Structures are given as structure tokens and as C-alpha cells.
Amino acid sequence: RAAWGTQEGRLRDAALRGDSETVRLIVRRYAQPARELIEEKELGEWATAELSHDSEKADHHLDIAREVGLALARQGDQMAAESVHLADSLRSVDPKGLQELARGHSLYAQGLEDWNQGLYSRATEDFRKAQKIFERVKSPFALWARLQQARCDFQRTDYEAVARTLSDLTRK
């Protein structure tokens, strides 16, 4: 994990330069941290910039997510690439839907922050709201937000809720 710290900056720089080969090599070696970078940082930062109408900053974060997402997709993990594709599609055909997607990612990022602070009830609500938005805009993050709710329920020792959620997710 320590080596990832130096690679994270290289990955972001390579993604912004469009250096797909360097991105691919880093992602192949550090797939999980790269996935977490997109899920936990870049899409949340994109959402913040998008909701603030800072298109330059929004594009910056979405460009990183796009390049890393494509590298992850080559390894079989489609979620980041599909999420960026959805944002790109909504930008051109449904600007209100794009704002809705950004609100979903903003809530998801807030849920992660609340989780990290041990505020599991608040995080559950953030993830629940994000899930509903993601479902409306057909984001692949909808199921992920649902899984995050189960993690919160587990921390709150609501094991019946965890079982219901996991059972529901296995049917989807």
C-alpha cells in the first residue's frame, strides 16, 4: 500500500496526459487502489465541481475517472467506465439528469465521509438517498450504494437489515 502513494500521483498525471499505456500498467498492478481512487475520490470531486458549475475542474476529475475506468474495464471491472459513460451521455442529452447524477455522487461521497467518521446512521441515509438517485438515472452505482447501506447496518449491529439487503442484492 505504501508504494501506491507514489503511484497514485503518477496515475493521475498519466490519465490527464492521455497516456493510456502508463495508466494500464499502474492499474494492472494496483487495481483495487485505482478502483477506490475513482469510487472514493474522483467521482465525488467531479460531483462537487459539477454542482458548483466549475466545468474545468469537473472535466479534470472526469478525465481521470475516464482513463482509469477504461483500464479497469480491460480487466473486467466495468463500473467506473460505465459511470463516466453515463455522465458523458447525460451531459449531451439531459443536463438535468447530469446534475441529478452529480447529486448522487455527492451524497455517496458524503456517505463515505460519514462512514469514515463512524457516523453510520448518517452514512446510511446518505447512501439511501444516493441509491434512489442512481436508480433514477440508471447508474451502476445504485447497487453499490445499497451494499454500502448493508455495511452501515452491520456496524450498527442491525443484522436483520444486513441479511435483507444482501438477500435482495443476490437476486439482482
Side-chain angles (χ1 to χ4, degrees):
R1 221 29 161 162
W4 166 246
T6 60
Q7 295 303 310
E8 181 179 348
R10 282 189 63 223
L11 179 60
R12 283 183 163 141
D13 291 343
L16 289 170
R17 287 191 319 270
D19 181 353
S20 299
E21 183 60 20
T22 298
V23 170
R24 185 184 65 76
L25 291 171
I26 295 171
V27 168
R28 184 171 31 170
R29 181 152 185 213
Y30 299 97
Q32 184 61 29
R35 182 178 300 110
E36 292 169 2
L37 172 68
I38 303 311
E39 174 196 343
E40 297 175 5
K41 293 181 184 174
E42 296 302 331
L43 289 174
E45 292 293 326
W46 163 77
T48 299
E50 187 68 39
L51 292 170
S52 300
H53 305 288
D54 185 341
S55 58
E56 185 177 327
K57 192 171 183 182
D59 289 345
H60 169 90
H61 292 290
L62 204 58
D63 287 345
I64 293 170
R66 181 179 296 106
E67 285 294 321
V68 175
L70 290 172
L72 287 166
R74 286 188 202 101
Q75 295 181 193
D77 183 346
Q78 304 291 325
M79 192 166 81
E82 288 176 6
S83 297
V84 172
H85 178 74
L86 177 60
D88 289 338
S89 297
L90 289 172
R91 177 172 281 140
S92 50
V93 298
D94 185 2
K96 287 185 195 261
L98 180 66
Q99 290 293 297
E100 186 89 348
L101 177 64
R103 275 193 297 282
H105 279 289
S106 180
L107 284 162
Y108 187 90
Q110 183 60 54
L112 291 173
E113 188 175 314
D114 290 340
W115 163 270
N116 289 331
Q117 294 176 21
L119 303 171
Y120 304 118
S121 294
R122 271 183 37 187
T124 298
E125 280 309 302
D126 296 331
F127 291 131
R128 185 171 289 124
K129 290 174 186 174
Q131 177 196 354
K132 291 186 184 314
I133 291 171
F134 289 148
E135 286 172 346
R136 280 196 300 272
V137 297
K138 298 181 175 37
S139 169
F141 265 80
L143 294 176
W144 205 239
R146 186 78 172 108
L147 181 61
Q148 296 290 6
Q149 291 169 55
R151 289 179 65 215
C152 292
D153 291 337
F154 182 83
Q155 291 299 321
R156 292 183 300 115
T157 66
D158 187 350
Y159 303 123
E160 288 180 20
V162 173
R164 280 192 308 273
T165 298
L166 294 179
S167 177
D168 185 46
L169 287 172
T170 58
R171 286 193 294 268
K172 293 193 185 240

